[in-house]
C-alpha cells in the first residue's frame, strides 16, 4: 500500500462522512508496521469497530468515530468487507504464551499489615514481555539462553524472539538442564513444537559448549530434517525467523458484524 498516496486521497475519501461543523479529521494507518507512541515506545493497537466507507483497491477505509478513521492495507486483511459493512478490526498485538496480550499488567498478591491479601497490578511503559513457560533452571548457560530468547529482538525490531515463538504457535516446551559437569555430554537445550506454513514439528535450540555457540535442530515425527550449527547468540532471531516464521502474524483480522445496506432505487 502506498501510504503517501492514501494520505493525499483521504480528504476526498472521507468527504461526506465528516460532520460539516468539523474542519479536521484524524486517521490511523495499519500497514503491518509497528505503532510508536508519542513517548517513542512500541505499542500494540487495541481492537476497534467501525463502518467501511471506501475501498480503493489498495486500502480499506473504516470510519471509527465522528471524525476518526482507520486505513487498512487490503493485502493484510483476513476478509475484504463490502462498503457500508460494520466491522470489528483486530490489528496485530504481541501476545504471551498464555494467550493474553503482552502488555497486560502483571498481577501479584501482597498482604496488608493485618494479613489481608490484596492484588497489585504493575505495568512498565513500553514493556510487553513474553516469558517462556519454564521453571527456573539450575544451569547458568540454560538461564542465559532463556534470557536471550526473552530479551533479544526479532529481525522486525518490534517483537522479541519469544513473541516470534508465540506467533509460530510454540507449545509443549521441555528443557535439558544439566549439572555443570555434564554440560558437554548433555548440552543445555530448549525444545518446543511449532505449526506454521514454513514448518510443523519440533524445534530444539541447544548450547554447544565446545564452540560456545548455539545449534538449532528441526525434527518431524522424531526424524531430524535440518540442523543449523554455529549460530551466534545475536543471530538467533534471524535464524528462527528464517526457519519457522511465515509472516501470518502481520494479518489484520476483520470480522463483519453486519451486512451493508442495499441501495434504494
Amino acid at each position: 500500500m502506498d501510504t503517501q498516496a492514501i494520505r493525499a486521497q483521504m480528504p476526498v475519501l472521507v468527504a461526506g462522512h465528516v460532520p460539516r461543523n468539523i474542519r479536521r479529521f484524524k486517521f490511523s494507518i495499519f500497514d503491518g508496521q509497528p505503532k510508536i507512541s508519542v513517548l517513542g515506545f512500541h505499542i500494540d493497537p487495541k481492537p476497534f469497530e467501525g463502518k467501511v466507507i471506501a475501498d480503493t483497491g489498495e486500502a480499506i477505509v473504516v470510519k471509527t468515530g465522528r471524525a476518526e478513521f482507520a486505513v487498512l492495507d487490503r493485502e493484510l486483511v483476513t476478509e475484504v468487507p463490502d462498503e457500508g459493512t460494520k466491522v470489528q478490526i483486530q490489528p496485530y498485538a504481541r501476545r504471551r504464551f498464555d494467550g493474553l496480550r503482552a502488555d497486560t499488567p502483571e498481577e501479584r498478591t501482597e498482604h496488608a499489615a493485618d494479613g489481608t491479601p490484596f492484588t497489585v497490578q504493575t505495568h512498565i511503559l513500553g514493556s510487553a514481555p513474553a516469558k517462556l513457560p519454564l521453571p527456573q533452571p539450575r544451569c547458568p548457560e540454560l538461564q542465559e539462553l532463556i534470557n536471550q530468547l526473552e530479551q533479544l529482538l526479532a529481525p522486525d525490531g518490534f517483537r522479541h524472539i519469544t513473541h516470534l515463538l508465540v506467533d509460530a504457535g510454540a507449545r509443549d516446551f521441555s528443557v535439558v538442564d544439566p549439572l555443570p559437569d555434564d554440560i558437554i555430554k548433555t548440552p543445555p537445550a530448549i525444545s518446543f513444537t511449532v505449526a506454521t506454513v514454513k514448518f510443523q514439528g519440533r524445534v530444539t535450540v541447544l548450547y554447544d559448549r565446545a564452540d560456545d555457540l548455539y545449534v538449532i535442530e528441526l525434527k518431524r515425527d522424531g526424524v531430524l530434517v535440518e540442523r543449523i550449527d554455529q549460530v551466534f547468540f545475536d543471530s538467533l532471531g534471524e535464524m528462527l525467523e528464517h526457519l519457522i516464521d511465515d509472516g501470518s502474524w502481520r494479518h489484520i483480522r476483520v470480522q463483519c458484524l453486519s451486512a451493508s445496506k442495499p441501495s434504494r432505487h
Side-chain angles (χ1 to χ4, degrees), residues 108-120:
R108 68 180 187 275
T109 301
E110 296 190 357
H111 295 81
D114 62 357
T116 303
F118 61 94
T119 300
V120 177

Side-chain angles (χ1 to χ4, degrees), residues 145 148-149 187-192 202-219 224 226-233 235-236 239-240 243:
L145 173 56
Q148 289 167 349
L149 293 176
I190 297 175
S191 297
F192 47 89
R202 195 80 180 163
V203 180
T204 298
V205 181
L206 62 89
Y207 175 65
D208 182 352
R209 180 67 182 87
D211 289 336
D212 193 24
L213 296 171
Y214 292 113
V215 175
I216 300 177
E217 294 182 343
L218 303 185
K219 293 182 179 180
L224 181 67
E226 189 166 359
R227 176 185 168 100
I228 311 295
D229 293 291
Q230 298 184 328
V231 179
F232 289 88
F233 78 94
S235 298
L236 277 172
M239 189 56 62
L240 287 169
L243 294 171

